[in-house]
Amino acid sequence: MIAAVERNSELLDDFEIEVECLLEALFLRWGHDFRGYSRASLRRRVARYLADTGIQRMADLQHELIRDPQRCQHFVRGLTVNVTDMFRDPAFYSVLRTQVIPELRSHPFIKIWHAGCSTGEEAYSMSILLQEEGLAERAVIYATDINSRVLEHARTGIYHDKMLVTARENYQASGGKVQLDDYISTGYERFIMDPVLKRNIVFTTHDLVTDQVFGEMQLVICRNVLIYFRRELQSRVLTLFYESLDMGGFLGLGIKESLSALPNQNSFRIVDSAVRLFQRID
Ligand SMILES: C[S@@+](CC[C@H](N)C(=O)[O-])C[C@H]1O[C@@H](n2cnc3c(N)ncnc32)[C@H](O)[C@@H]1O
């Protein structure tokens, strides 16, 4: 007699197992490592990819991903969430103005890293802030992302004007000294960042999972990226930021993110808990 096999409710379902296999295949074949990402968002992105491309079966997608580098690039770009805004969470920028800028003034040369900058609005916001505080001439902003397509967009500095209302409101709420319109030109349903703002921004690809430290930074900003990572990966990435920062350097995270996965949390002091701003003290 064959014993009835009861399904353990903690086991993964078929689709979840197939996603695990896909992640392993991506890593083994191309070195793209998404295995440390939180699964809820990742599974939604994979399901969306299947729906958008009309690929019926996970086995077919896996077959293509292993053999076709272009399919792989296309798929990987679809895995990341790229939502962003100018002066997103304005309170974060006003705390930068009051708490961080005064300390940056003492440095002859200022290095800032925006990790996971998406389409670049965050880096342009920083560039505006530095202009207004008279620090732009001695600062360089490294704006990095895993997704080369969003970086191409970032380099253009051109955005759809449906984002403009929020951008203007955020700029004012962040303590902006003039008008956002002083830094942009508009037309054809777009707004374009003043090219002067690009002068000190270096847009380049960098994968937080596999790439190395960006050294001797006075400020590292990585907002709304760690939420997509599992705890072990958060720990690795936070350690990377710790090692990238100069003593006394600042770290800005997203509103829903924290240092809790960092083994040496005491190496940072809290500058402002509401906007998740920290300073390396050890
Ligand atoms: C939701 S956006 C956040 C954009 C911006 N930091 C903000 O807060 O508005 C997350 C960004 O993280 C990037 N990202 C995801 N995984 C990454 C990785 N392993 N290395 C670098 N960037 C990554 C994505 O491509 C995406 O552009």
Side-chain angles (χ1 to χ4, degrees), residues 13-278:
D13 69 21
D14 296 355
F15 177 69
E16 290 166 349
I17 292 169
E18 286 174 323
V19 169
E20 296 306 306
C21 294
L22 208 67
L23 297 182
E24 284 300 328
L26 264 186
F27 178 64
L28 290 172
R29 185 67 180 86
W30 304 108
H32 293 305
D33 193 355
F34 287 89
R35 296 172 302 170
Y37 284 51
S38 300
R39 291 302 189 265
S41 162
L42 213 50
R43 287 175 191 143
R44 278 197 300 274
R45 308 296 288 183
V46 175
R48 164 95 68 87
Y49 191 84
L50 289 172
D52 288 351
T53 54
I55 296 174
Q56 300 284 325
R57 300 183 326 138
M58 286 286 277
D60 295 335
L61 177 58
Q62 181 164 317
H63 182 89
E64 282 195 42
L65 283 179
I66 292 171
R67 288 163 185 82
D68 180 353
Q70 275 163 357
R71 166 67 69 195
C72 175
Q73 284 308 316
H74 189 243
F75 176 73
V76 163
R77 284 200 294 264
L79 284 185
T80 56
V81 178
N82 305 115
V83 178
T84 185
D85 257 323
M86 294 289 297
F87 292 94
R88 183 178 190 176
D89 304 317
F92 175 73
Y93 290 89
S94 48
V95 174
L96 284 184
R97 271 187 207 270
T98 54
Q99 307 283 325
V100 177
I101 293 291
E103 297 219 18
L104 294 186
R105 285 192 198 290
S106 61
H107 292 268
F109 189 64
I110 301 162
K111 288 168 74 181
I112 299 171
W113 178 19
H114 283 273
C117 70
S118 189
T119 40
E121 287 90 329
E122 199 177 59
Y124 288 111
S125 304
M126 177 61 72
S127 190
I128 290 173
L129 180 62
L130 294 171
Q131 289 271 350
E132 294 190 352
E133 298 297 332
L135 295 177
E137 294 305 319
R138 53 180 147 131
V140 59
I141 299 169
Y142 298 95
T144 68
D145 203 282
I146 190 179
N147 184 331
S148 57
R149 189 58 63 85
V150 292
L151 289 174
E152 278 168 32
H153 184 171
R155 284 186 196 101
T156 68
I158 302 175
Y159 302 103
H160 201 283
D161 68 5
K162 67 182 181 209
M163 314 296 287
L164 198 45
V165 174
T166 307
R168 285 183 181 129
E169 286 171 3
N170 284 355
Y171 169 76
Q172 292 303 337
S174 77
K177 292 189 169 167
V178 285
Q179 303 288 323
L180 184 67
D181 292 68
D182 294 333
Y183 300 102
I184 60 175
S185 48
T186 53
Y188 303 103
E189 299 182 345
R190 299 282 183 276
F191 68 99
I192 305 176
M193 305 311 300
D194 185 330
V196 167
L197 298 170
K198 280 187 206 171
R199 276 206 308 233
N200 54 353
I201 308 179
V202 180
F203 289 106
T204 185
T205 51
H206 179 280
D207 183 347
L208 290 165
V209 182
T210 52
D211 291 336
Q212 297 306 309
V213 162
F214 260 61
E216 298 166 355
M217 296 288 149
Q218 278 75 51
L219 173 59
V220 173
I221 294 178
C222 182
R223 310 184 66 225
N224 308 298
V225 181
L226 294 179
I227 37 168
Y228 298 103
F229 296 169
R230 286 179 163 175
R231 195 172 172 82
E232 309 85 75
L233 182 54
Q234 288 184 12
S235 171
R236 179 207 188 268
V237 173
L238 287 167
T239 303
L240 187 77
F241 295 152
Y242 167 77
E243 290 170 356
S244 298
L245 277 169
D246 254 2
M247 191 62 71
F250 294 88
L251 174 63
L253 302 178
I255 299 296
K256 294 185 194 138
E257 296 164 338
S258 76
L259 291 180
S260 68
L262 184 69
N264 55 328
Q265 281 173 53
N266 293 340
S267 303
F268 285 92
R269 78 171 181 96
I270 299 172
V271 177
D272 188 301
S273 58
V275 303
R276 304 292 200 265
L277 185 68
F278 308 91

